[in-house]
Amino acid sequence: MRISFLLLLLPAANSGHLPPRSTMQPCKTLLFFFHDILYNGNNFHNATSAIVAAPAWGNRTKLAPLMHFGDVVVFDDPMTLDGDLRSPVIGRAQGLYLYDRKEVFTAWLAFSLVLNSTDHRGTITLAGADMLMNRRRDVPVVGGTGDFFMARGVATLMTDAIEDEVYFRLRVDLKLYECY
Ligand SMILES: *[C@@H]1O[C@H](CO)[C@@H](O)[C@H](O)[C@H]1NC(C)=O
Ligand SMILES: *[C@@H]1O[C@H](CO)[C@@H](O)[C@H](O)[C@H]1NC(C)=O
Ligand SMILES: *[C@@H]1O[C@H](CO)[C@@H](O)[C@H](O)[C@H]1NC(C)=O
């Protein structure tokens, strides 16, 4: 079953417009870090994200048991060029993540990198599954505006630091394969 399915797919893949994936080179690469401080009931002034929906067995000040399944978090996180939270903020990562499996730690992301510096002006939108147990996770870049007009590619995410359930730092390696 699986083999015949593959055979059916192969001719279609070869007649497409894209070169084989292994030979594709990104037209733009960017590296950012973003910093997420989750509201925990007593860090209102520092928090950059908040649980906005929780399952019946949880609440909005503490991530739920069972891999946080059902929690929805909205965030507005500062982005820096290195891993230091005190470095200049070059943009913000804005959107939401939600935890979507009880058995395994996974999330679904939908957010934009909003950049407004002298180097970059525009937005880059990411959406897709984030297999949190893997050290490196690829998330699709589904579009962009401004300097990133019609951007498409992949963002490789790595959790660079994590402190309890309140702070995490994410390294984002962006590779765009469509640039205009
Ligand atoms: C907010 O952040 C500052 C600087 O990192 C820290 O000194 C302070 O303790 C934090 N406040 C709260 C409520 O977490
Ligand atoms: C949320 O749940 C945690 C853990 O069950 C509990 O310690 C905390 O008091 C709860 N917070 C609220 C506001 O109910
Ligand atoms: C972007 O930066 C420019 C120049 O610093 C400023 O005038 C503009 O208001 C900023 N736009 C946003 C949406 O922050």
Side-chain angles (χ1 to χ4, degrees):
M1 180 64 187
R2 174 172 287 182
I3 288 172
S4 56
F5 182 63
L6 270 179
L7 286 175
L8 275 176
L9 275 181
L10 277 175
N14 285 339
S15 61
H17 296 293
L18 291 172
R21 199 170 55 171
S22 57
T23 65
M24 282 177 71
Q25 293 298 322
C27 48
K28 188 175 274 184
T29 61
L30 294 161
L31 172 66
F32 303 115
F33 291 81
F34 75 81
H35 307 262
D36 188 272
I37 303 171
L38 184 61
Y39 177 67
N40 66 358
N42 52 37
N43 61 355
F44 177 72
H45 291 290
N46 291 15
T48 62
S49 66
I51 303 171
V52 298
W57 57 87
N59 65 40
R60 286 178 293 164
T61 53
K62 190 161 173 36
L63 290 164
L66 296 176
M67 311 293 170
H68 313 333
F69 178 76
D71 282 329
V72 180
V73 178
V74 170
F75 62 95
D76 172 19
D77 290 345
M79 291 167 37
T80 54
L81 288 175
D82 60 23
D84 192 340
L85 186 51
R86 291 158 304 184
S87 296
V89 172
I90 53 122
R92 306 196 71 87
Q94 300 175 322
L96 60 89
Y97 51 87
L98 51 90
Y99 294 93
D100 56 2
R101 269 199 84 178
K102 282 192 279 186
E103 302 79 15
V104 185
F105 208 32
T106 66
W108 202 83
L109 303 171
F111 68 101
S112 295
L113 307 175
V114 181
L115 294 146
N116 189 27
S117 69
T118 44
D119 291 338
H120 301 291
R121 198 153 286 165
T123 66
I124 305 169
T125 296
L126 286 73
D130 183 1
M131 321 292 176
L132 286 161
M133 293 316 285
N134 300 341
R135 208 172 78 82
R136 298 164 60 88
R137 294 97 63 182
D138 281 349
V139 174
V141 173
V142 296
T145 63
D147 290 350
F148 308 100
F149 176 74
M150 300 276 277
R152 287 222 290 164
V154 158
T156 303
L157 309 184
M158 277 190 272
T159 307
D160 196 50
I162 187 156
E163 282 164 31
D164 301 321
E165 285 182 348
V166 172
Y167 173 75
F168 70 77
R169 181 168 70 232
L170 218 56
R171 180 191 159 112
V172 182
D173 275 288
L174 268 174
K175 294 179 287 290
L176 302 183
Y177 294 87
E178 277 185 40
C179 307
Y180 294 92

